[in-house]
Amino acid sequence: MGGGRMGAGIAHAFLLAGSRVVVVERDTEGADAAALRIDESLRRSADRDPGLDAGECAARLRVTTDVEACRGAALVVEAVPEDRVLKEDALARLEHVLPDEAVLASNTSSISIDDLALARRRPERFLGLHFFNPVPSSALVEIVRGATTDPAVVDTAREWVALLGKTPIVVADSPGFASSRLGVALGLEAIRMLEERVASAADIDAAMTLGYRHPVGPLRTTDLVGLDVRLGIAQELARELGERFEPPALLRRMVAEGRLGRKSGAGFYDWTDPDSPKETR
């Protein structure tokens, strides 16, 4: 459920693995945009891999506004924006149409799986499946085990992730899980350093890519994730873990100005040319 950048990427991954995939969007405009997003993503994959038939993959995809289309699913992944109310509403709508044996998962990157499980009809078949952006090229999926999640469901999730060609890690439910907690801590400190004029964005990123062999620096990563997404996660972590996760004023200001990173065209870098982003001043 949800055909934005993350939802489309998750759909893409399952289509490449041979699954039949349904994407549910809130309205016709969203459904049309999701279908186009996935089609373009499949075509890019086919350009890189001549053995991939994008048309055959697309034939196993249905994009709709009707949640009833999920009724026969073995797995449903909620991938709506990182907002607790939106996620609760989406999960409630989904579980009314799912069979008892289906697995329901949330792609949340920071909201407690145990909290979301409280209102679930079958909490033992609910868990977190945290995919990373961009999903097609990311090698990791974080499986978040809730206190009530059936261990057999976790084992099944491991198998699904492996079939996608990705590596699963299993973490217990805790604020920010493992990946968001560590990633946000580094990203927020990098933003504070930029705010304090310690170094430029490019040089802060180079310190981590060249000095610590990170594939992408923390500020460029924030642009890729979305400044609004990172702000939402930081606010959630600050509520749970205290002031060390309090978002810097610079992050709040950039989000208020609509500078959200790659998806808006500008963040810490100018993404006018996505293949060669330039540092903004």
mmCIF file of all heavy atoms in Angstrom, residues 223 226-229 231 250-269 271 280:
data_model
loop_
_atom_site.group_PDB
_atom_site.id
_atom_site.type_symbol
_atom_site.label_atom_id
_atom_site.label_comp_id
_atom_site.label_asym_id
_atom_site.label_seq_id
_atom_site.Cartn_x
_atom_site.Cartn_y
_atom_site.Cartn_z
ATOM 1 N N ASP A 223 19.998 13.896 1.468
ATOM 2 C CA ASP A 223 19.322 14.341 0.251
ATOM 3 C C ASP A 223 18.603 13.191 -0.436
ATOM 4 O O ASP A 223 17.496 13.351 -0.962
ATOM 5 C CB ASP A 223 20.335 14.952 -0.716
ATOM 6 C CG ASP A 223 20.523 16.454 -0.527
ATOM 7 O OD1 ASP A 223 19.964 17.008 0.430
ATOM 8 O OD2 ASP A 223 21.231 17.067 -1.349
ATOM 9 N N GLY A 226 15.594 12.120 1.769
ATOM 10 C CA GLY A 226 14.603 13.194 1.851
ATOM 11 C C GLY A 226 14.737 13.894 3.188
ATOM 12 O O GLY A 226 14.670 13.241 4.244
ATOM 13 N N LEU A 227 14.939 15.212 3.156
ATOM 14 C CA LEU A 227 15.123 15.946 4.412
ATOM 15 C C LEU A 227 13.879 15.874 5.283
ATOM 16 O O LEU A 227 13.968 15.860 6.514
ATOM 17 C CB LEU A 227 15.494 17.410 4.130
ATOM 18 C CG LEU A 227 16.985 17.688 3.885
ATOM 19 C CD1 LEU A 227 17.438 17.131 2.535
ATOM 20 C CD2 LEU A 227 17.279 19.179 3.958
ATOM 21 N N ASP A 228 12.703 15.842 4.644
ATOM 22 C CA ASP A 228 11.462 15.751 5.406
ATOM 23 C C ASP A 228 11.349 14.400 6.112
ATOM 24 O O ASP A 228 10.909 14.325 7.267
ATOM 25 C CB ASP A 228 10.249 15.986 4.501
ATOM 26 C CG ASP A 228 10.233 15.085 3.274
ATOM 27 O OD1 ASP A 228 11.308 14.593 2.856
ATOM 28 O OD2 ASP A 228 9.138 14.864 2.714
ATOM 29 N N VAL A 229 11.783 13.342 5.427
ATOM 30 C CA VAL A 229 11.763 12.002 6.037
ATOM 31 C C VAL A 229 12.724 11.969 7.217
ATOM 32 O O VAL A 229 12.384 11.485 8.308
ATOM 33 C CB VAL A 229 12.129 10.932 4.997
ATOM 34 C CG1 VAL A 229 12.264 9.562 5.658
ATOM 35 C CG2 VAL A 229 11.082 10.892 3.893
ATOM 36 N N LEU A 231 13.783 14.456 8.988
ATOM 37 C CA LEU A 231 13.252 15.291 10.068
ATOM 38 C C LEU A 231 12.208 14.521 10.863
ATOM 39 O O LEU A 231 12.206 14.545 12.107
ATOM 40 C CB LEU A 231 12.645 16.571 9.493
ATOM 41 C CG LEU A 231 11.939 17.495 10.494
ATOM 42 C CD1 LEU A 231 12.886 17.968 11.584
ATOM 43 C CD2 LEU A 231 11.300 18.681 9.770
ATOM 44 N N LEU A 250 18.872 24.149 11.115
ATOM 45 C CA LEU A 250 19.097 24.162 9.663
ATOM 46 C C LEU A 250 18.214 23.141 8.961
ATOM 47 O O LEU A 250 17.649 23.426 7.900
ATOM 48 C CB LEU A 250 20.574 23.878 9.370
ATOM 49 C CG LEU A 250 20.966 23.754 7.891
ATOM 50 C CD1 LEU A 250 20.633 25.035 7.136
ATOM 51 C CD2 LEU A 250 22.443 23.398 7.756
ATOM 52 N N LEU A 251 18.073 21.956 9.539
ATOM 53 C CA LEU A 251 17.217 20.931 8.932
ATOM 54 C C LEU A 251 15.770 21.388 8.918
ATOM 55 O O LEU A 251 15.075 21.264 7.903
ATOM 56 C CB LEU A 251 17.363 19.618 9.696
ATOM 57 C CG LEU A 251 16.478 18.454 9.235
ATOM 58 C CD1 LEU A 251 16.735 18.109 7.780
ATOM 59 C CD2 LEU A 251 16.693 17.225 10.130
ATOM 60 N N ARG A 252 15.296 21.933 10.022
ATOM 61 C CA ARG A 252 13.911 22.414 10.081
ATOM 62 C C ARG A 252 13.679 23.518 9.046
ATOM 63 O O ARG A 252 12.644 23.544 8.371
ATOM 64 C CB ARG A 252 13.599 22.943 11.483
ATOM 65 C CG ARG A 252 13.585 21.877 12.578
ATOM 66 C CD ARG A 252 13.198 22.500 13.917
ATOM 67 N NE ARG A 252 13.250 21.561 15.020
ATOM 68 C CZ ARG A 252 12.266 20.727 15.343
ATOM 69 N NH1 ARG A 252 11.158 20.721 14.626
ATOM 70 N NH2 ARG A 252 12.390 19.915 16.382
ATOM 71 N N ARG A 253 14.638 24.431 8.921
ATOM 72 C CA ARG A 253 14.473 25.549 7.993
ATOM 73 C C ARG A 253 14.443 25.074 6.549
ATOM 74 O O ARG A 253 13.599 25.532 5.751
ATOM 75 C CB ARG A 253 15.604 26.563 8.189
ATOM 76 C CG ARG A 253 15.451 27.806 7.303
ATOM 77 C CD ARG A 253 16.397 28.913 7.706
ATOM 78 N NE ARG A 253 17.786 28.598 7.348
ATOM 79 C CZ ARG A 253 18.733 28.327 8.222
ATOM 80 N NH1 ARG A 253 18.476 28.325 9.524
ATOM 81 N NH2 ARG A 253 19.959 28.070 7.808
ATOM 82 N N MET A 254 15.321 24.149 6.197
ATOM 83 C CA MET A 254 15.352 23.662 4.820
ATOM 84 C C MET A 254 14.069 22.930 4.455
ATOM 85 O O MET A 254 13.554 23.081 3.341
ATOM 86 C CB MET A 254 16.578 22.770 4.618
ATOM 87 C CG MET A 254 17.889 23.541 4.672
ATOM 88 S SD MET A 254 19.357 22.487 4.527
ATOM 89 C CE MET A 254 19.265 21.986 2.804
ATOM 90 N N VAL A 255 13.529 22.154 5.387
ATOM 91 C CA VAL A 255 12.258 21.471 5.122
ATOM 92 C C VAL A 255 11.136 22.489 4.950
ATOM 93 O O VAL A 255 10.303 22.378 4.038
ATOM 94 C CB VAL A 255 11.934 20.472 6.249
ATOM 95 C CG1 VAL A 255 10.512 19.933 6.090
ATOM 96 C CG2 VAL A 255 12.935 19.320 6.246
ATOM 97 N N ALA A 256 11.106 23.516 5.794
ATOM 98 C CA ALA A 256 10.080 24.561 5.692
ATOM 99 C C ALA A 256 10.162 25.287 4.352
ATOM 100 O O ALA A 256 9.138 25.720 3.797
ATOM 101 C CB ALA A 256 10.224 25.547 6.842
ATOM 102 N N GLU A 257 11.383 25.411 3.818
ATOM 103 C CA GLU A 257 11.583 26.089 2.531
ATOM 104 C C GLU A 257 11.308 25.180 1.340
ATOM 105 O O GLU A 257 11.380 25.613 0.192
ATOM 106 C CB GLU A 257 13.018 26.612 2.453
ATOM 107 C CG GLU A 257 13.317 27.752 3.435
ATOM 108 C CD GLU A 257 14.793 28.094 3.490
ATOM 109 O OE1 GLU A 257 15.605 27.348 2.872
ATOM 110 O OE2 GLU A 257 15.151 29.098 4.133
ATOM 111 N N GLY A 258 11.031 23.904 1.598
ATOM 112 C CA GLY A 258 10.772 22.965 0.513
ATOM 113 C C GLY A 258 12.020 22.380 -0.108
ATOM 114 O O GLY A 258 11.949 21.739 -1.162
ATOM 115 N N ARG A 259 13.160 22.556 0.531
ATOM 116 C CA ARG A 259 14.422 21.984 0.040
ATOM 117 C C ARG A 259 14.566 20.595 0.652
ATOM 118 O O ARG A 259 15.156 20.419 1.716
ATOM 119 C CB ARG A 259 15.596 22.895 0.406
ATOM 120 C CG ARG A 259 15.541 24.246 -0.285
ATOM 121 C CD ARG A 259 16.549 25.226 0.306
ATOM 122 N NE ARG A 259 17.925 24.721 0.188
ATOM 123 C CZ ARG A 259 18.949 25.261 0.835
ATOM 124 N NH1 ARG A 259 18.751 26.299 1.652
ATOM 125 N NH2 ARG A 259 20.172 24.766 0.673
ATOM 126 N N LEU A 260 13.992 19.615 -0.016
ATOM 127 C CA LEU A 260 13.843 18.274 0.556
ATOM 128 C C LEU A 260 14.871 17.280 0.037
ATOM 129 O O LEU A 260 14.834 16.115 0.399
ATOM 130 C CB LEU A 260 12.436 17.746 0.268
ATOM 131 C CG LEU A 260 11.276 18.663 0.675
ATOM 132 C CD1 LEU A 260 9.953 17.999 0.342
ATOM 133 C CD2 LEU A 260 11.354 19.031 2.147
ATOM 134 N N GLY A 261 15.797 17.742 -0.816
ATOM 135 C CA GLY A 261 16.775 16.828 -1.370
ATOM 136 C C GLY A 261 16.501 16.508 -2.820
ATOM 137 O O GLY A 261 15.913 17.311 -3.549
ATOM 138 N N ARG A 262 16.898 15.328 -3.244
ATOM 139 C CA ARG A 262 16.795 14.973 -4.664
ATOM 140 C C ARG A 262 15.372 15.084 -5.183
ATOM 141 O O ARG A 262 15.141 15.560 -6.303
ATOM 142 C CB ARG A 262 17.323 13.546 -4.883
ATOM 143 C CG ARG A 262 17.302 13.116 -6.347
ATOM 144 C CD ARG A 262 17.938 11.771 -6.565
ATOM 145 N NE ARG A 262 17.215 10.710 -5.901
ATOM 146 C CZ ARG A 262 17.520 9.410 -6.035
ATOM 147 N NH1 ARG A 262 18.561 9.044 -6.762
ATOM 148 N NH2 ARG A 262 16.814 8.493 -5.398
ATOM 149 N N LYS A 263 14.380 14.663 -4.388
ATOM 150 C CA LYS A 263 13.013 14.636 -4.906
ATOM 151 C C LYS A 263 12.454 16.017 -5.188
ATOM 152 O O LYS A 263 11.543 16.164 -6.001
ATOM 153 C CB LYS A 263 12.096 13.872 -3.946
ATOM 154 C CG LYS A 263 11.956 14.481 -2.559
ATOM 155 C CD LYS A 263 11.152 13.545 -1.678
ATOM 156 C CE LYS A 263 11.117 13.998 -0.237
ATOM 157 N NZ LYS A 263 10.425 13.017 0.632
ATOM 158 N N SER A 264 12.990 17.066 -4.534
ATOM 159 C CA SER A 264 12.534 18.431 -4.804
ATOM 160 C C SER A 264 13.490 19.175 -5.725
ATOM 161 O O SER A 264 13.209 20.308 -6.124
ATOM 162 C CB SER A 264 12.380 19.215 -3.494
ATOM 163 O OG SER A 264 13.650 19.498 -2.926
ATOM 164 N N GLY A 265 14.631 18.560 -6.046
ATOM 165 C CA GLY A 265 15.615 19.188 -6.918
ATOM 166 C C GLY A 265 16.758 19.858 -6.193
ATOM 167 O O GLY A 265 17.767 20.202 -6.812
ATOM 168 N N ALA A 266 16.602 20.082 -4.886
ATOM 169 C CA ALA A 266 17.669 20.743 -4.130
ATOM 170 C C ALA A 266 17.567 20.403 -2.655
ATOM 171 O O ALA A 266 16.476 20.280 -2.097
ATOM 172 C CB ALA A 266 17.604 22.260 -4.313
ATOM 173 N N GLY A 267 18.716 20.255 -2.031
ATOM 174 C CA GLY A 267 18.829 20.062 -0.593
ATOM 175 C C GLY A 267 20.194 20.589 -0.196
ATOM 176 O O GLY A 267 20.493 21.759 -0.389
ATOM 177 N N PHE A 268 21.042 19.723 0.317
ATOM 178 C CA PHE A 268 22.429 20.116 0.551
ATOM 179 C C PHE A 268 23.183 20.172 -0.777
ATOM 180 O O PHE A 268 24.232 20.802 -0.875
ATOM 181 C CB PHE A 268 23.105 19.139 1.507
ATOM 182 C CG PHE A 268 22.464 19.134 2.870
ATOM 183 C CD1 PHE A 268 21.688 18.076 3.287
ATOM 184 C CD2 PHE A 268 22.604 20.224 3.726
ATOM 185 C CE1 PHE A 268 21.076 18.084 4.526
ATOM 186 C CE2 PHE A 268 22.001 20.240 4.967
ATOM 187 C CZ PHE A 268 21.227 19.174 5.368
ATOM 188 N N TYR A 269 22.610 19.517 -1.801
ATOM 189 C CA TYR A 269 23.160 19.537 -3.150
ATOM 190 C C TYR A 269 22.066 19.952 -4.129
ATOM 191 O O TYR A 269 20.877 19.790 -3.870
ATOM 192 C CB TYR A 269 23.698 18.149 -3.534
ATOM 193 C CG TYR A 269 24.895 17.715 -2.721
ATOM 194 C CD1 TYR A 269 24.727 17.093 -1.478
ATOM 195 C CD2 TYR A 269 26.184 17.932 -3.173
ATOM 196 C CE1 TYR A 269 25.820 16.707 -0.716
ATOM 197 C CE2 TYR A 269 27.296 17.546 -2.417
ATOM 198 C CZ TYR A 269 27.098 16.938 -1.193
ATOM 199 O OH TYR A 269 28.189 16.567 -0.438
ATOM 200 N N TRP A 271 20.279 19.052 -7.410
ATOM 201 C CA TRP A 271 20.057 17.814 -8.143
ATOM 202 C C TRP A 271 19.490 18.059 -9.534
ATOM 203 O O TRP A 271 18.855 17.173 -10.123
ATOM 204 C CB TRP A 271 19.143 16.899 -7.345
ATOM 205 C CG TRP A 271 19.796 16.401 -6.094
ATOM 206 C CD1 TRP A 271 19.806 17.011 -4.871
ATOM 207 C CD2 TRP A 271 20.572 15.214 -5.944
ATOM 208 N NE1 TRP A 271 20.529 16.280 -3.963
ATOM 209 C CE2 TRP A 271 21.012 15.168 -4.589
ATOM 210 C CE3 TRP A 271 20.939 14.182 -6.810
ATOM 211 C CZ2 TRP A 271 21.804 14.132 -4.108
ATOM 212 C CZ3 TRP A 271 21.714 13.153 -6.320
ATOM 213 C CH2 TRP A 271 22.137 13.134 -4.985
ATOM 214 N N THR A 280 25.113 22.943 -2.920
ATOM 215 C CA THR A 280 24.433 24.233 -2.884
ATOM 216 C C THR A 280 25.153 25.154 -1.901
ATOM 217 O O THR A 280 25.845 24.704 -0.993
ATOM 218 C CB THR A 280 22.956 24.086 -2.458
ATOM 219 O OG1 THR A 280 22.915 23.407 -1.195
ATOM 220 C CG2 THR A 280 22.171 23.291 -3.479
#
